[in-house]
Amino acid sequence: MRSQPPHQHDSMKSRKGLGSVSHPDVHKFSVETVQWYPRDTGMFTSSSFDKTLKIWDTNTLQPADIFYFEGTVYSHHMSPVATQHCLIAVGTKSPKVQLCDLKSGSSSHILQGHRQEVLAVSWSPRHEYVLATGSADGRVKLWDVRRASGCLSTLDQHNGEKSKASSEAANTAHNGRVNGLCYTSDGLHLLTIGTDDRMRLWNSSTGENTLVNYGKVCNESWKGLKFAISCGCNPEFAFVPYGSTIAVYTIFTGELITVLRGHYSTVNCCVFQPHFQELYSGSKDSNILAWIPAPREPVLDDISEKSLPQQHLNPAYEDAWSSSDDEG
């Protein structure tokens, strides 16, 4: 893979915003998560350290509803596939996972099981009632929100084998705070990140740790880490913010392919756009950068390659990424 050289950052294409929200209803502190309503673009959501989750009307840029919480909001997520519910999962400073219902306006439904603050939440893209949560207690829990007990399983990094660590560390996914998690696009696997500088890949059906070794994945974030997983690439990648750069790993082999450089300050988040096969990253430098796979030059001196049938996936997505200024 190829990263965009830092010195070319000045010529990177800018993406102008269509508008901004600037009135008394804006958040008072850091905005941690923003998400479009999965069904249409007439509504989007945002949550913040000001202890609120806001539902925005895109046309008026006014809040249609506001949910208030007792503590800092670290993360929220709406299911991309739900047809039977309109629940927003919310992770806050409380160990209880909050479920906000867009239909009724209620936030009374809670999931109890974590012992410390909930830093990351993610609905399964495969099962609309299944939710994954990561906490500062080192645990990752899978929930079926229809069940009275709620919790389906607690992921164990040792796969049930007796740990050499203390009994307190039993049934933990990480030996530190779990501040990032993301499903693969097919929902078959779950990727988690902890402050133990480890990233782990889990079979989401069995809860088994697949034991893929990514090496040391530096993670010094005290809040949620917003990383991304590709969709439609060959192989699939994980894009993990690391200081002012983005580390790119192959998900199923654990190889660190490259490090994308272009930002001047800490990268806060990454989002992958499968329709355009683009990666977007946001940073404290106030820039949003768009990264695209750079096409590989055809091999002209090998006649046999010309006769090969075209692959379903563009080979450019296999191992070449650069910033969007390469397009023009």
Side-chain angles (χ1 to χ4, degrees):
M1 295 180 70
R2 187 176 52 144
S3 62
Q4 178 62 29
H7 68 273
Q8 292 188 16
H9 172 67
D10 291 337
S11 62
M12 194 169 294
K13 288 183 179 179
S14 62
R15 304 293 176 98
K16 292 184 178 180
L18 297 177
S20 62
V21 181
S22 55
H23 51 68
D25 293 313
V26 296
H27 288 288
K28 301 298 186 288
F29 299 113
S30 171
V31 176
E32 292 301 296
T33 310
V34 178
Q35 184 188 3
W36 286 107
Y37 180 57
R39 293 185 174 277
D40 62 61
T41 56
M43 184 170 67
F44 65 94
T45 57
S46 63
S47 59
S48 164
F49 277 6
D50 65 8
K51 306 178 183 179
T52 66
L53 164 68
K54 298 189 177 186
I55 317 300
W56 297 90
D57 183 313
T58 307
N59 297 315
T60 64
L61 292 183
Q62 298 287 333
D65 203 353
I66 303 177
F67 293 91
Y68 297 90
F69 304 93
E70 294 181 0
T72 299
V73 180
Y74 291 107
S75 177
H76 79 267
H77 191 229
M78 286 180 286
S79 170
V81 296
T83 58
Q84 303 299 315
H85 72 78
C86 291
L87 298 174
I88 305 178
V90 185
T92 71
K93 203 168 184 66
S94 166
K96 300 174 183 177
V97 181
Q98 308 268 167
L99 296 178
C100 299
D101 193 332
L102 283 179
K103 287 183 178 178
S104 66
S106 168
S107 58
S108 58
H109 193 172
I110 59 174
L111 303 173
Q112 299 188 73
H114 284 298
R115 300 177 184 178
Q116 296 183 44
E117 55 195 354
V118 178
L119 300 172
V121 296
S122 181
W123 292 96
S124 166
R126 194 174 188 86
H127 305 289
E128 66 173 282
Y129 291 105
V130 174
L131 174 71
T133 60
S135 168
D137 62 12
R139 290 172 170 81
V140 172
K141 290 182 176 291
L142 301 181
W143 313 79
D144 184 334
V145 298
R146 297 169 297 182
R147 293 169 44 142
S149 58
C151 187
L152 289 172
S153 63
T154 301
L155 302 186
D156 179 11
Q157 60 183 298
H158 305 290
N159 285 334
E161 297 179 8
K162 248 185 178 179
S163 170
K164 295 179 182 179
S166 66
S167 58
E168 181 65 24
N171 276 0
T172 55
H174 290 269
N175 298 322
R177 297 155 60 90
V178 181
N179 60 351
L181 47 79
C182 188
Y183 278 97
T184 54
S185 60
D186 57 14
L188 295 178
H189 293 87
L190 178 70
L191 197 61
T192 64
I193 291 181
T195 55
D196 56 357
D197 291 339
R198 290 292 179 263
M199 184 159 65
R200 294 195 167 95
L201 183 70
W202 309 82
N203 181 312
S204 60
S205 296
T206 65
E208 180 185 9
N209 179 1
T210 64
L211 303 178
V212 174
N213 182 10
Y214 300 94
K216 182 177 180 180
V217 181
C218 294
N219 176 7
E220 300 175 350
S221 177
W222 58 272
K223 55 182 184 178
L225 186 67
K226 316 292 186 182
F227 70 101
I229 291 179
S230 66
C231 174
C233 293
N234 182 22
E236 298 291 4
F237 304 110
F239 304 95
V240 183
Y242 172 42
S244 62
T245 68
I246 302 164
V248 184
Y249 297 87
T250 53
I251 289 178
F252 296 106
T253 63
E255 184 181 359
L256 175 61
I257 295 296
T258 192
V259 176
L260 303 178
R261 306 177 190 276
H263 283 291
Y264 294 127
S265 188
T266 303
V267 178
N268 293 320
C269 56
C270 292
V271 176
F272 187 81
Q273 220 303 341
H275 300 299
F276 301 109
Q277 290 289 298
E278 291 185 343
L279 174 74
Y280 306 112
S281 57
S283 165
K284 284 185 179 178
D285 62 13
S286 300
N287 289 318
I288 297 176
L289 303 187
W291 306 84
I292 62 170
R296 286 194 284 182
E297 293 296 327
V299 182
L300 300 178
D301 58 345
D302 191 340
I303 301 176
S304 62
E305 283 200 13
K306 295 180 184 179
S307 60
L308 291 176
Q310 287 189 340
Q311 297 179 359
H312 176 67
L313 290 174
N314 187 332
Y317 300 139
E318 293 182 5
D319 64 354
W321 282 83
S322 67
S323 65
S324 61
D325 67 329
D326 280 357
E327 289 181 304

